[in-house]
Amino acid sequence: MSKQAAISQQRAPIYEALQRFREMRVVPFDVPGHKRGRGNPELTAFLGKQCVGVDVNSMKPLDNLCHPVSVIREAEELAAEAFGAAHAFLMVGGTTSAVQSMVLTVCKRGDKIILPRNVHKSVINALVLCGAIPVYVNPEVDARLGISLGMQRQQVARAIEENPDAVAVLVNNPTYYGICSDLRAIVCMAHDAGMRCLADEAHGTHFYFGHGLPVSAMAAGADMAAVSMHKSGGSLTQSSFLLTGPDVHAGYVRQIINLTQTTSGSYLLMSSLDISRRHLALHGREIFHKVVDMADYARQEINAIGGYYAFGRELMNGDSVFDFDSTKLSVHTRDIGLAGIEVYDLLRDEYDIQIEFGDIGNILAYLSMGDRIQELERLVSALAEIRRHHQKDPAGMLTQEYVEPEVVMSPQDAFYADKVSLPLAQSEGRVCSEFVMCYPPGIPILAPGERITAEILEHICYAKEKGCSMTGSEDPDLQHINVLA
């Protein structure tokens, strides 16, 4: 980073504007109705005067998120520079909003988009909204871990060759488990075919600031990337960035964002993006070097327990696992006879340790700038005790997270079609018209337009039995499922 860039990154324009506003003691005859907290003393006591005092509405000194011309625009310019993007948009609807805006920018009804099936539900939700047609590159599955891997170059090339009318290729960078595809190669393949390349970087914010981590989407030449600053970047929950490359029309992207994003952008979220961007730009390399060291230490200690497998860069194979995010502490639990969700529940209920998620075979402890070695040692000790006290025979456990879908019709057509509700056990062979997923991570087991098979039903019932939080269906207990009439 140049000296001039480093100096500019010390600015935080939204934060600075809010500080100036606080000192002005403006009389509020506008929204929000709590009037800087005076009207809701319980809320003020809970969140604090500092917080509710800057929960304000758009006004000239503070700019407007829908059409920024001053401090928000400056914050976006600084973010674009920090991330190596042509433009950065502040997003206050989470990375879901960023992902959907990304897809809606490049796709309209009937357009094809090439993507892996192990995408977050927000991607398929975007297809429901715009009517685009998914062309799935079904990922390879790791036989031992049962998890889906990245997109193989040959499969992407084949999908592009067989669908030359597709408008874009979307890539997870990385997956929830930390696995990365060969993003640079996929970008080149997409561009050579006249397609856009989009990256869901919900779990890859730190790629832009760390050293020795997988390549970021902007550095790889992708056209757009959705970045969860609130995950590994330190900002408040629900705040994200949408990044674009030099060949994307920023004015049109703004119009797309404004179709769905609130006109009352939260200054708590926006200032947290502004402050966190400054923090990462100035200190990110040092921060994430420490995070990688902590994760490597934890992997070594967990693997020394026996029975667990904390996996890492040894999975890399040059293609479907082209790279690995070393900050991700993913642990395979099936060999001790426990599903990941069972270990997740034990850690929370018996040890007061809250990890990111557990599925049928793995857990993920999400490490970032706020973690310390002493907490990791507590996690390692708890895992050792869980093995000692709760280990079972792994015979009969499901071995695969990913079930390859049979796509019958587009997500939009299926979602809006006439439907009936059937008992789950009677739905085999029918076409699903809603989502079914374990959350987190929020990757659909079933999406609208996919056929319900015996294997999928077994997976759903097993996940429910083990205690996974099942979401997406109209029936909150998932005793019934909506299918095409």
Side-chain angles (χ1 to χ4, degrees):
M1 184 182 291
S2 69
K3 184 176 180 182
Q4 183 177 0
I7 292 170
S8 69
Q9 289 298 328
Q10 292 176 12
R11 298 246 3 250
I14 299 171
Y15 162 73
E16 293 161 9
L18 286 169
Q19 290 283 60
R20 290 192 296 269
F21 174 78
R22 194 199 301 273
E23 294 165 3
M24 291 169 65
R25 302 180 67 181
V26 172
V27 178
F29 288 112
D30 62 350
V31 296
H34 60 66
K35 304 291 181 175
R36 315 291 189 265
R38 290 195 304 269
N40 194 339
E42 288 182 338
L43 180 68
T44 304
F46 180 61
L47 295 180
K49 290 182 180 179
Q50 286 281 99
C51 178
V52 294
V54 291
D55 180 38
V56 294
N57 195 34
S58 296
M59 58 188 77
K60 281 192 176 180
L62 298 180
D63 210 354
N64 188 299
L65 181 60
C66 297
H67 186 75
V69 295
S70 59
V71 294
I72 295 176
R73 186 173 70 180
E74 289 176 47
E76 289 184 341
E77 289 168 353
L78 285 167
E81 181 184 67
F83 283 86
H87 203 101
F89 299 86
L90 276 66
M91 306 297 295
V92 295
T95 310
T96 288
S97 178
V99 166
Q100 291 179 347
S101 295
M102 187 167 67
V103 173
L104 294 175
T105 295
V106 301
C107 294
K108 60 183 184 296
R109 182 172 172 80
D111 283 344
K112 293 180 183 176
I113 179 169
I114 296 167
L115 66 162
R117 175 56 178 74
N118 59 322
V119 290
H120 188 263
K121 70 169 184 175
S122 59
V123 177
I124 303 177
N125 280 343
L127 305 185
V128 169
L129 292 173
C130 71
I133 310 298
V135 176
Y136 290 126
V137 174
N138 286 305
E140 184 184 355
V141 173
D142 183 281
R144 176 181 178 184
L145 303 176
I147 63 172
S148 51
L149 304 177
M151 299 167 82
Q152 293 175 294
R153 290 185 296 269
Q154 185 178 1
Q155 287 185 318
V156 175
R158 186 184 305 120
I160 289 173
E161 183 181 353
E162 293 175 354
N163 300 274
D165 53 340
V167 298
V169 180
L170 185 142
V171 188
N172 293 319
N173 193 50
T175 70
Y176 224 135
Y177 298 101
I179 290 164
C180 297
S181 305
D182 187 352
L183 186 55
R184 281 194 174 97
I186 293 171
V187 167
C188 289
M189 284 189 274
H191 287 172
D192 287 348
M195 302 175 189
R196 297 289 193 184
C197 188
L198 316 179
D200 180 349
E201 287 190 309
H203 302 282
T205 303
H206 46 292
F207 290 1
Y208 290 87
F209 303 99
H211 176 67
L213 292 171
V215 67
S216 68
M218 290 295 104
D223 297 288
M224 303 181 78
V227 176
S228 271
M229 274 292 279
H230 69 93
K231 289 189 170 72
S232 61
S235 64
L236 292 179
T237 295
Q238 203 176 306
S239 58
S240 296
F241 283 120
L242 176 59
L243 308 177
T244 61
D247 298 323
V248 177
H249 192 297
Y252 180 66
V253 176
R254 179 84 66 193
Q255 287 185 317
I256 293 293
I257 290 170
N258 287 340
L259 289 176
T260 55
Q261 182 159 261
T262 179
T263 55
S264 303
S266 166
Y267 279 86
L268 298 176
L269 298 181
M270 288 189 284
S271 61
S272 83
L273 283 170
D274 201 22
I275 294 166
S276 300
R277 178 273 313 155
R278 178 173 68 179
H279 186 53
L280 293 185
L282 298 177
H283 310 292
R285 179 169 288 219
E286 174 189 353
I287 288 168
F288 293 115
H289 179 75
K290 291 179 180 177
V291 175
V292 169
D293 284 348
M294 284 192 296
D296 286 342
Y297 165 77
R299 267 188 286 274
Q300 181 179 342
E301 293 296 303
I302 291 168
N303 287 332
I305 295 170
Y308 297 107
Y309 175 33
F311 50 91
R313 294 179 63 83
E314 71 279 357
L315 296 183
M316 290 168 54
N317 59 22
D319 196 0
S320 59
V321 189
F322 185 78
D323 210 340
F324 185 83
D325 175 9
S326 297
T327 71
K328 296 290 187 294
L329 183 56
S330 302
V331 184
H332 186 61
T333 65
R334 196 182 297 115
D335 291 342
I336 65 166
L338 294 175
I341 186 62
E342 292 175 306
V343 176
Y344 170 100
D345 287 339
L346 287 166
L347 285 169
R348 183 194 61 245
D349 296 342
E350 296 191 12
Y351 298 92
D352 294 329
I353 295 174
Q354 181 61 59
I355 58 171
E356 176 68 12
F357 81 87
D359 51 34
I360 67 171
N362 303 276
I363 60 172
L364 172 66
Y366 210 103
L367 303 191
S368 193
M369 59 185 68
D371 291 299
R372 300 177 299 176
I373 286 291
Q374 49 264 51
E375 279 98 14
L376 279 172
E377 289 172 343
R378 185 173 161 189
L379 172 63
V380 172
S381 296
L383 289 173
E385 285 193 22
I386 287 171
R387 178 186 181 237
R388 193 159 56 245
H389 297 307
H390 299 279
Q391 184 169 5
K392 301 176 185 175
D393 183 349
M397 298 184 71
L398 277 191
T399 60
Q400 191 163 306
E401 301 288 346
Y402 177 75
V403 182
E404 187 171 321
E406 179 190 344
V407 180
V408 178
M409 61 196 303
S410 78
Q412 185 184 66
D413 288 342
F415 186 83
Y416 290 112
D418 291 337
K419 62 197 74 172
V420 295
S421 177
L422 291 180
L424 193 63
Q426 298 176 22
S427 65
E428 183 179 345
R430 304 296 289 266
V431 177
C432 187
S433 66
E434 59 182 352
F435 289 92
V436 177
M437 70 203 85
C438 300
Y439 190 87
I443 297 166
I445 301 169
L446 272 172
E450 296 176 358
R451 193 174 304 282
I452 302 169
T453 65
E455 185 182 12
I456 287 171
L457 288 175
E458 180 189 17
H459 189 100
I460 291 171
C461 292
Y462 184 85
K464 286 177 63 179
E465 175 192 324
K466 291 297 184 182
C468 289
S469 177
M470 309 301 293
T471 67
S473 59
E474 190 174 296
D475 176 5
D477 298 320
L478 195 54
Q479 299 296 326
H480 291 73
I481 189 168
N482 288 339
V483 300
L484 267 60

